[in-house]
Amino acid sequence: MGSIGVVYDSGYGHTAAQARAVGEGAASVPGVDVALYFAEEVAADPRQLDPCDALVFGTPTYMGSGSAVFKTFMESSAKIWTGQGWKGKLAAGFTNSSGHSGDKLNTLTQLWLFAMQHGMVWIGLGLLDGNGRSTGSDDELNRLGAYAGAMAQSNADQGLEGMRDSDLRTASALGQRVARHVAHWQGGGR
């Protein structure tokens, strides 16, 4: 049995919707348990993530990087980092912003670098650009063309109704991909 922790922050509910989609995708893989953790709460005791085989990090992109709340969580893991307590765990990431670019790649890079500092193994999205051809559409998976993780775009003047289903399905695909890797690694595939 493998386990995945989805650690996220969400200011307006959009990134929380992504987190739930990541969790649902991961839970669809037999033999994998999934738990969602709000970054602000887990920052008080990041050691509660130690039993997880994989950590999927999610934060909204604000002003070109992850949220201050998520950064607080990252910094709260410093003692784990010094002992390399998460070394060898699998990691992945997701983010949301109102702009189509919104500098989301910078946020995914921030999450990737955080995982690398911990000695974790990063898992990218593994999907081709879904809207990068004349026959493509915004209804396809990976419509924003991310490779490092799952990206979503939500309108700043709308709540969850402003999110595209394709972005949530992309987040679910990321969760499923991470869970398949956890199951593979748990089965001796390392």
Side-chain angles (χ1 to χ4, degrees):
M1 181 73 75
S3 62
I4 297 174
V6 180
V7 183
Y8 70 97
D9 178 43
S10 184
Y12 299 96
H14 303 102
T15 311
Q18 269 186 295
R20 287 188 297 275
V22 168
E24 290 166 5
S28 73
V29 175
V32 177
D33 286 331
V34 183
L36 273 61
Y37 299 91
F38 193 58
E40 188 171 34
E41 294 170 2
V42 79
D45 179 19
R47 290 251 176 232
Q48 64 186 295
L49 301 172
D50 289 355
C52 297
D53 298 303
L55 297 174
V56 183
F57 305 119
T59 176
T61 296
Y62 294 146
M63 305 306 289
S65 67
S67 70
V69 169
F70 200 85
K71 180 71 168 137
T72 298
F73 156 71
M74 292 167 67
E75 291 178 9
S76 76
S77 72
K79 289 183 180 177
I80 297 168
W81 168 74
T82 59
Q84 291 291 279
W86 293 346
K87 188 173 188 169
K89 290 184 185 296
L90 301 178
F94 59 95
T95 189
N96 175 78
S97 74
S98 61
H100 282 265
S101 168
D103 297 320
K104 289 185 275 286
L105 180 57
N106 190 56
T107 301
L108 290 176
T109 300
Q110 181 183 30
L111 297 176
W112 165 80
L113 184 56
F114 173 65
M116 294 300 97
Q117 289 174 332
H118 274 284
M120 301 173 83
V121 179
W122 189 260
I123 298 173
L125 185 57
L127 294 173
L128 292 174
D129 183 340
N131 196 13
R133 60 197 183 292
S134 63
T135 58
S137 83
D138 278 346
D139 295 328
E140 295 187 43
L141 293 178
N142 197 21
R143 73 180 180 104
L144 297 173
Y147 295 95
M151 290 183 184
Q153 180 271 328
S154 55
N155 296 326
D157 61 342
Q158 290 182 301
L160 296 181
E161 74 278 5
M163 292 193 78
R164 288 204 173 261
D165 180 63
S166 58
D167 289 347
L168 296 174
R169 289 185 292 115
T170 299
S172 179
L174 176 66
Q176 189 174 61
R177 179 174 165 87
V178 172
R180 285 184 178 145
H181 281 284
V182 166
H184 177 75
W185 280 45
Q186 290 298 314
R190 292 183 195 204

